[in-house]
Amino acid sequence: FELSKTIFTCDDLGKNEVIARVVDKSGNEATTKVIITIVDLTAPIAKAKNLTVDLGLDGLAKVDAKLLENGSSSGCGGFESSLNKSVFDYNDLGENEVNYIVKDDRGNLATTKVSITVRDTISPVVVSQPGKMYLNKNGRLDVGDARALVKICDDALIMKNNQPGGF
């Protein structure tokens, strides 16, 4: 029993027509066409690196999975990569564990976990507000709550200095 082709590669995915030949003890020969279907069931290999991102002025960090790619591969053909979470905001500050997903051209999947660290590097916005304040009967004014004098962004904290005279 012989086949006209016995080694198949990624170039042979799909249906392949080969000739099967049989020879008996008397030397009589018969051939027939055989269809061999080659299928790639091999899962790709997902390899990704950790990433640190900064929030933008809109308070968001959008991560493209391609930025984490670190040597992923697929048995036959190409692949696409994605993340199970790719948009981050103030609620995600710090380290976030995310799935990096690789899908090859035939739908085979592989995943690996990566760490995306989200940072807020934008200074808070403060705008002065005009206001009248009056000295007490001892000729002194103690401003205990600065919010009356400034408008700040939502995530800013007001730090109270207990030392007289300010900063």
Side-chain angles (χ1 to χ4, degrees):
F1 180 80
E2 294 178 324
L3 293 175
S4 60
K5 182 173 183 170
T6 58
I7 297 175
F8 299 88
T9 67
C10 292
D11 294 335
D12 299 307
L13 288 175
K15 293 183 178 183
N16 295 271
E17 186 178 292
V18 296
I19 305 296
R21 187 181 109 170
V22 178
V23 180
D24 66 16
K25 291 180 185 177
S26 300
N28 300 313
E29 181 179 313
T31 60
T32 187
K33 291 180 183 177
V34 177
I35 301 296
I36 297 176
T37 303
I38 305 299
V39 179
D40 175 20
L41 298 177
T42 305
I45 298 170
K47 292 184 181 179
K49 58 188 171 191
N50 297 331
L51 184 68
T52 297
V53 295
D54 297 329
L55 294 176
L57 292 175
D58 60 357
L60 299 175
K62 297 171 186 160
V63 178
D64 184 340
K66 292 177 184 136
L67 295 173
L68 286 84
E69 172 53 40
N70 199 28
S72 300
S73 61
S74 174
C76 292
F79 63 88
E80 293 179 0
S81 59
S82 63
L83 299 168
N84 69 321
K85 180 173 182 166
S86 61
V87 179
F88 301 87
D89 62 22
Y90 289 103
N91 297 311
D92 302 305
L93 289 175
E95 193 171 313
N96 298 271
E97 188 176 90
V98 177
N99 288 325
Y100 178 78
I101 304 159
V102 173
K103 181 178 179 182
D104 70 16
D105 296 342
R106 284 147 308 286
N108 301 316
L109 294 173
T111 64
T112 189
K113 296 204 180 294
V114 294
S115 175
I116 297 178
T117 302
V118 179
R119 301 185 307 181
D120 177 9
T121 59
I122 299 173
S123 298
V125 176
V126 61
V127 179
S128 63
Q129 306 263 74
K132 284 186 183 179
M133 299 200 157
Y134 302 96
L135 298 175
N136 64 17
K137 63 182 176 180
N138 297 324
R140 182 180 165 131
L141 171 65
D142 183 15
V143 180
D145 188 356
R147 285 179 281 213
L149 300 173
V150 295
K151 180 179 180 184
I152 59 174
C153 59
D154 294 338
D155 70 330
L157 299 174
I158 295 179
M159 306 301 289
K160 186 171 182 182
N161 183 352
N162 291 326
Q163 303 296 322
F167 298 99

